[in-house]
Amino acid sequence: MDNVFLNKDIFKGAYILMLKNLFNKKVESATTYEKYAALASLLNKQLDDNYEKTTKYVEENNLKKTIYFSMEFLMGRLITSNLMNSGYIDVVKEAFDDWGIDLNEVEQAETDAGLGNGGLGRLAACFLDSAASLSLPLYGNSLRYKKGFFVQRFENDQQKEYPDPWLEKPFYWEERKEDEAIQIPYFGYVKDTKLIDPVWIKAVPYDVKVVGANNGIVTTLRLWSAEKSQWHKYHDDEYLKMVDKITESLYPDDSTEAGKTLRLQQQYLFSAAGIKNVILNHKKLGRDVRDLPKYYVFQVNDTHPTLIIPELMRILMDEENLGYDESWDIVTKTVAYTNHTILSEALEKWNIKIFRNLLPRTFEIIQEMNRRFKIVLEEAKVPAEKVYTMQLIGANNVRMANICIYGSFSVNGVAALHTDILKNIELNDFYNLYPEKFNNKTNGITHRRWLLHINHELTDILNNLLGTKWQTDLPQIKGLEKYKDDKKVQNQIKEMKLAKKRALIKKIKADTGVTLNENAIFDIQIKRLHEYKRQLLNILNVIHTYLRLKSDNEFKKNFYPQNFIFGAKAAPSYVMAKGIIELINKVSHVINNDVETNDLLKVVFVENYNVTYAEFLFPAADLSEQISTASKEASGTGNMKFMLNGAITIGTMDGANVEIVQEAGKENNIIFGLSAEEVNNIYKNNGYVPRKIYDQDQRLQRVFEFIRKLTPNPTHFDFILQNLLTSDYFLVLKDFDSYVSAQEKANYLYKNQDLWWKMVIMNIANAGFFTSDRTISEYNQDIWKLDTIKI
Ligand code: 26Q
């Protein structure tokens, strides 16, 4: 196909035709959505050429590929990044300008592809962008959830979940590949390694193009969808309902046995279909299955795709007739595992009964793997009590992380501290057995989306000072550092912030009705709602600050106005997390409606925090809340997005905060609280009594009293307060004093504007390390060893 984005006139002709074909409309009469649809459709079609060229190059040159298996890909909108990366955005702008169409408005007609919950899913999306932009043949593999994660609404301040209708309108970036569908069996029973009478379903792939930045590379994210299979005889209601459920939504309720089975069905679907797909292609190209490790690396994003390990064993042994040892050799040269969790109670495990019922042959294979692994452990003289915790099956559970470590040639953590904790504490027994497998890959973010796309103001400042080379080599923004004391540059950055605050204020006003003061400090905590992330600590300080403003005039006089903004979804069955959302909402109403403090303090919890919301929030922030209990946050990536957009971190020495401080300087961020080591000592010594802290701190007592008066029923939030008083596993009360001081320091620092903007510049200038281009290069050098695509 000729390039219809070559110049504005050719583009205009093609665009007019597309509008006519799709909607029988002219430019003047098309709705914003129709304008969007025509543009997306045209661009997606144009990208076919580069997709084919890329595919052809990879095949003909026998390039090794990485398949990135992930339950989540939190892509957000694709229109802008695809326009920017393809290099066609200027032509489109010129044409739209002639017509008086606002491209920005058209872009906003796209619904987020919200196939994820948080950091793990957004990391996967950033990795796709970076790998394609570095010309590396990396392909995503996941599920096409018809109803995505969920849309969050607040009703009576409580989170309610609604299905995300993101596929109700066509998703222009996907292409169904019916002829590559794969039959997947569940249930049944095993006779001589053969699965008898299974329930068959059909997995149909949909490919979403992934566009490299200015290099002509187009790879894909493959999303599998469950459909009824002609291999299955009885298409009764029960069967059809089951099929429909499998790719309905991400993280369905798994409190029941049926719910657990469904989640495992999902995991098996994209793991088995992904692997079978690879093997079929591999063989179609005339390659030997024994050569699989030469052509593929399977990167496992957390344990959700663990089943690729036994599944690959099954195919090699049962279908390709290789022996166990040869098969195992292939598997362990092909699979690599990334760990994203420290909380050991969060490590995935599956009840044996549920597992064996759904995947009987897979279970047999894992049993055999386990038998052999125990021999390895015995030979290595691992003591019996350790064998018990390390084995692949134990306490009636299949242990996914253990399978991953045993079955992978690489095990990586996602920030320096995290990897150290894995090696020395959480996975120490495995580390002692396989030290060579363990490595660190500190996370990153794609600066194309998280700076170039969302912050044109800052991009312009950097371009004017440094030229444009930093755009393809982010560490070069270090060049900004020499302007740290330059009043003119400081002022430009300040103006950038103000512009971004205004855009956010407008959105928040429209969404919530709350009016925010543009001259206030924007203090933002946006991330999954979880106790370890300590949104509670944040709101306790907010309440304390409010009470102080009402009772301490000296404090009030010196207090610089501050807006506290939250955004988070809570897992639907996570009662405590949902309680915390309700608490923050209730606190916000009291504070926002108090005329005594109104111009000084506001609290907003934005509804349905997602990638698009994030794109407004990060650039508007002055303070980045990264206040997890030290040792619990594997890395964090929001912290990097804030830093790159000129916010200062108020945080604990946890996850990648450690590296942020290393890069930007401790004096340019506000660090507080217990260290990871101190936290672990508290756990070990078992002597923490939160009640004592409470009894000795009047501030906490007043805050608790305030919470009890929030609702007519004073015990409404007792499940939260009692938990703090009796267990406080995440050490909220322990860090309260130190956090309050850190907040006071932040408020005080902001008043010294010269110093503040200097600190901000130091953070931006030293954010170069956190581009995911660096992360992906490291993965490639140490783990994947892929050659680049040259077209
Ligand atoms: C597990 C079992 C059953 C149900 C759900 C899950 C489950 C679901 C989602 C477990 C984990 C997740 C998501 C984890 C996640 O987002 N982790 C984050 O990964 C980021 C990228 O590495 C890190 O920066 C964050 O620190 C980490 O929290």
Side-chain angles (χ1 to χ4, degrees):
M1 168 172 153
D2 290 336
N3 186 352
V4 301
F5 289 81
L6 202 61
N7 63 48
K8 79 171 177 187
D9 295 321
I10 297 178
F11 169 73
K12 279 181 181 174
Y15 186 75
I16 288 168
L17 210 62
M18 185 58 87
L19 262 181
K20 184 166 166 44
N21 285 342
L22 283 180
F23 305 108
N24 200 17
K25 287 268 184 88
K26 296 204 163 95
V27 173
E28 311 84 68
S29 56
T31 63
T32 306
Y33 175 77
E34 288 165 347
K35 287 174 191 150
Y36 156 73
L39 179 58
S41 197
L42 200 60
L43 177 57
N44 189 52
K45 213 161 141 221
Q46 185 63 57
L47 294 170
D48 276 342
D49 257 10
N50 283 341
Y51 165 70
E52 270 154 33
K53 275 185 203 149
T54 304
T55 310
K56 191 157 170 259
Y57 183 94
V58 173
E59 264 181 25
E60 285 180 353
N61 294 278
N62 293 313
L63 294 198
K64 182 179 180 184
K65 292 182 190 176
T66 292
I67 311 294
Y68 199 82
F69 284 84
S70 178
M71 198 86 192
E72 303 184 21
F73 280 88
L74 197 41
M75 304 294 281
R77 288 181 183 143
L78 296 178
I79 179 91
T80 316
S81 40
N82 285 350
L83 277 174
M84 287 175 71
N85 283 2
S86 62
Y88 299 150
I89 194 161
D90 290 335
V91 168
V92 175
K93 261 192 201 144
E94 283 172 39
F96 277 22
D97 278 350
D98 285 357
W99 283 327
I101 302 175
D102 180 356
L103 175 58
N104 204 24
E105 192 188 314
V106 170
E107 289 165 334
Q108 301 201 16
E110 182 166 316
T111 312
D112 275 37
L115 307 180
N117 178 7
L120 168 145
R122 185 52 232 178
L123 185 77
C126 284
F127 280 6
L128 291 179
D129 184 77
S130 278
S133 298
L134 294 171
S135 302
L136 293 172
L138 175 143
Y139 293 80
N141 191 75
S142 187
L143 293 166
R144 183 176 179 272
Y145 309 100
K146 288 190 291 284
K147 296 290 155 71
F149 189 38
F150 63 81
V151 171
Q152 177 193 56
R153 294 285 164 238
F154 296 145
E155 290 169 18
N156 296 322
D157 299 322
Q158 293 171 341
Q159 169 179 294
K160 290 283 170 303
E161 303 91 23
Y162 294 95
D164 176 0
W166 76 292
L167 283 176
E168 257 165 33
K169 288 182 187 154
F171 180 50
Y172 288 98
W173 310 108
E174 72 179 0
E175 196 175 328
R176 183 181 164 93
K177 302 264 172 81
E178 175 77 43
D179 55 328
E180 294 186 59
I182 284 168
Q183 304 290 335
I184 303 287
Y186 297 113
F187 304 107
Y189 63 95
V190 183
K191 210 174 149 193
D192 302 326
T193 79
K194 290 230 162 13
L195 193 59
I196 312 289
D197 276 348
V199 174
W200 288 100
I201 72 110
K202 183 170 78 170
V204 182
Y206 287 71
D207 284 349
V208 181
K209 295 191 183 77
V210 176
V211 186
N214 308 307
N215 61 1
I217 305 290
V218 175
T219 57
T220 56
L221 164 59
R222 176 155 278 201
L223 302 174
W224 296 94
S225 183
E227 296 186 7
K228 60 179 191 273
S229 162
Q230 295 317 315
W231 292 21
H232 198 73
K233 286 193 208 97
Y234 309 105
H235 287 190
D236 52 3
D237 271 6
E238 199 190 344
Y239 172 78
L240 294 175
K241 256 195 211 144
M242 181 203 82
V243 171
D244 204 50
K245 280 254 172 240
I246 295 176
T247 45
E248 186 178 72
S249 68
L250 171 64
Y251 303 135
D253 175 20
D254 63 353
S255 56
T256 62
E257 196 169 311
K260 289 192 175 70
T261 300
L262 172 56
R263 271 188 51 93
L264 198 56
Q265 276 181 320
Q266 294 187 328
Q267 296 192 352
Y268 186 65
L269 183 83
F270 85 110
S271 303
I275 289 294
K276 185 76 188 184
N277 182 218
V278 160
I279 301 273
L280 286 173
N281 279 335
H282 185 78
K283 290 177 62 166
K284 202 169 80 192
L285 291 167
R287 297 168 183 164
D288 192 315
V289 285
R290 292 179 194 83
D291 288 334
L292 207 65
K294 277 195 215 156
Y295 290 95
Y296 287 99
V297 179
F298 303 136
Q299 190 70 41
V300 174
N301 198 26
D302 219 290
T303 53
H304 315 140
T306 302
L307 294 173
I308 68 165
I309 292 170
E311 182 60 12
L312 190 49
M313 287 299 285
R314 189 191 66 76
I315 291 180
L316 295 173
M317 295 190 302
D318 297 356
E319 297 181 8
E320 301 296 327
N321 300 311
L322 302 188
Y324 184 100
D325 289 320
E326 198 173 10
S327 301
W328 188 244
D329 187 56
I330 294 170
V331 170
T332 51
K333 282 181 173 149
T334 315
V335 179
Y337 161 57
T338 304
N339 173 289
H340 300 263
T341 353
I342 302 176
L343 292 170
S344 39
E345 68 270 23
L347 288 181
E348 234 187 336
K349 46 188 195 291
W350 292 102
N351 174 277
I352 288 180
K353 230 185 78 201
I354 291 172
F355 195 108
R356 189 189 346 221
N357 180 45
L358 181 70
L359 303 168
R361 176 61 184 148
T362 309
F363 186 72
E364 277 187 358
I365 290 170
I366 293 174
Q367 278 182 312
E368 178 59 14
M369 283 163 48
N370 191 40
R371 191 185 68 79
R372 290 168 183 250
F373 183 45
K374 279 161 70 180
I375 295 172
V376 172
L377 293 176
E378 259 166 49
E379 281 171 356
K381 305 228 180 329
V382 172
E385 71 275 12
K386 287 192 176 167
V387 172
Y388 183 74
T389 58
M390 292 172 78
Q391 58 197 10
L392 312 182
I393 304 172
N396 268 321
N397 285 316
V398 179
R399 297 165 171 164
M400 305 303 253
N402 299 21
I403 294 175
C404 281
I405 301 166
Y406 179 45
S408 299
F409 67 89
S410 163
V411 175
N412 77 280
V414 290
L417 175 68
H418 171 54
T419 303
D420 281 346
I421 292 173
L422 293 181
K423 283 185 188 174
N424 301 324
I425 303 170
E426 290 306 321
L427 303 179
N428 181 254
D429 296 336
F430 285 99
Y431 176 62
N432 289 333
L433 187 66
Y434 301 123
E436 71 289 347
K437 290 191 185 188
F438 284 74
N439 65 95
N440 175 248
K441 296 288 166 282
T442 297
N443 281 166
I445 57 172
T446 170
H447 62 279
R448 284 169 291 278
R449 179 178 291 258
W450 296 111
L451 176 54
L452 303 183
H453 158 182
I454 66 170
N455 198 337
H456 298 164
E457 292 84 348
L458 182 53
T459 301
D460 288 345
I461 295 170
L462 292 167
N463 284 345
N464 287 334
L465 295 173
L466 311 173
T468 58
K469 274 211 188 123
W470 63 273
Q471 295 191 12
T472 49
D473 180 20
L474 193 66
Q476 291 194 30
I477 54 171
K478 183 87 178 169
L480 182 67
E481 199 176 297
K482 67 168 182 282
Y483 299 99
K484 63 181 190 294
D485 296 306
D486 185 323
K487 293 288 162 292
K488 221 179 88 200
V489 175
Q490 287 190 354
N491 215 43
Q492 287 171 2
I493 302 275
K494 189 175 160 179
E495 288 297 316
M496 171 279 283
K497 238 343 127 191
L498 187 60
K500 294 320 225 181
K501 286 180 183 178
R502 285 178 177 154
L504 178 64
I505 288 169
K506 202 170 142 202
K507 184 164 169 61
I508 287 181
K509 175 82 188 169
D511 290 352
T512 68
V514 177
T515 314
L516 294 176
N517 173 1
E518 69 178 30
N519 295 312
I521 299 170
F522 277 52
D523 179 317
I524 307 188
Q525 185 169 21
I526 39 178
K527 47 181 83 252
R528 292 180 295 137
L529 205 309
H530 206 293
E531 287 163 278
Y532 84 78
K533 294 178 185 282
R534 297 199 296 193
Q535 282 93 351
L536 247 187
L537 179 59
N538 187 339
I539 200 65
L540 294 188
N541 171 67
V542 169
I543 298 169
H544 162 67
T545 306
Y546 170 68
L547 295 175
R548 215 172 154 194
L549 285 172
K550 303 220 10 128
S551 62
D552 180 344
N553 264 323
E554 193 56 25
F555 178 74
K556 189 172 178 183
K557 216 174 70 200
N558 291 318
F559 185 77
Y560 196 90
Q562 201 160 344
N563 296 322
F564 290 87
I565 302 173
F566 295 83
K569 290 181 183 175
S573 60
Y574 193 168
V575 175
M576 186 63 80
K578 289 175 120 173
I580 293 168
I581 291 180
E582 187 190 358
L583 171 64
I584 296 173
N585 273 327
K586 290 226 154 39
V587 171
S588 77
H589 303 321
V590 174
I591 293 181
N592 296 346
N593 291 316
D594 189 333
V595 287
E596 260 180 56
T597 56
N598 227 316
D599 47 348
L600 292 175
L601 191 65
K602 285 269 169 74
V603 183
V604 177
F605 205 126
V606 302
E607 220 172 26
N608 200 39
Y609 172 58
N610 60 9
V611 172
T612 292
Y613 227 126
E615 292 173 3
F616 281 88
L617 288 157
F618 285 116
D622 297 305
L623 271 178
S624 155
E625 295 276 352
Q626 308 302 335
I627 59 178
S628 53
T629 313
S631 81
K632 300 299 179 203
E633 190 68 271
S635 161
T637 44
N639 47 3
M640 303 167 187
K641 294 162 199 163
F642 279 117
M643 180 194 195
L644 185 58
N645 282 279
I648 284 168
T649 301
I650 177 165
T652 49
M653 276 299 217
D654 199 16
N657 298 352
V658 175
E659 285 147 282
I660 285 179
V661 164
Q662 231 166 52
E663 298 291 312
K666 206 163 180 170
E667 67 285 6
N668 295 311
N669 289 292
I670 302 165
I671 296 301
F672 74 95
L674 297 165
S675 67
E677 207 183 333
E678 288 167 332
V679 168
N680 281 319
N681 282 334
I682 289 177
Y683 290 149
K684 248 191 266 159
N685 300 334
N686 228 339
Y688 175 50
V689 185
R691 181 99 221 179
K692 259 196 209 152
I693 295 182
Y694 176 82
D695 286 342
Q696 288 167 11
D697 193 332
Q698 287 200 350
R699 299 169 302 179
L700 282 170
Q701 292 161 24
R702 290 196 193 108
V703 168
F704 275 45
E705 187 186 53
F706 175 90
I707 292 173
R708 292 201 176 98
K709 286 190 186 141
L710 274 173
T711 50
N713 170 9
T715 62
H716 188 76
F717 289 116
D718 262 14
F719 67 111
I720 298 176
L721 302 182
Q722 284 309 317
N723 186 275
L724 287 178
L725 289 175
T726 55
S727 147
D728 193 17
Y729 182 74
F730 296 104
L731 305 167
V732 173
L733 300 195
K734 185 89 185 158
D735 270 342
F736 178 74
D737 177 64
S738 149
Y739 180 57
V740 170
S741 303
Q743 273 287 350
E744 282 171 12
K745 183 175 168 191
N747 196 276
Y748 173 81
L749 273 175
Y750 195 82
K751 287 181 286 187
N752 183 348
Q753 286 276 296
D754 290 354
L755 178 58
W756 184 269
W757 296 108
K758 175 180 168 173
M759 288 168 68
V760 166
I761 289 174
M762 286 301 289
N763 274 280
I764 299 171
N766 290 290
F769 178 72
F770 299 106
T771 171
S772 45
D773 291 0
R774 187 266 315 151
T775 312
I776 287 294
S777 304
E778 289 179 5
Y779 272 93
N780 194 41
Q781 259 179 29
D782 300 343
I783 305 173
W784 304 335
K785 304 183 195 298
L786 310 175
D787 290 326
T788 55
I789 306 159
K790 298 176 189 74
I791 45 178

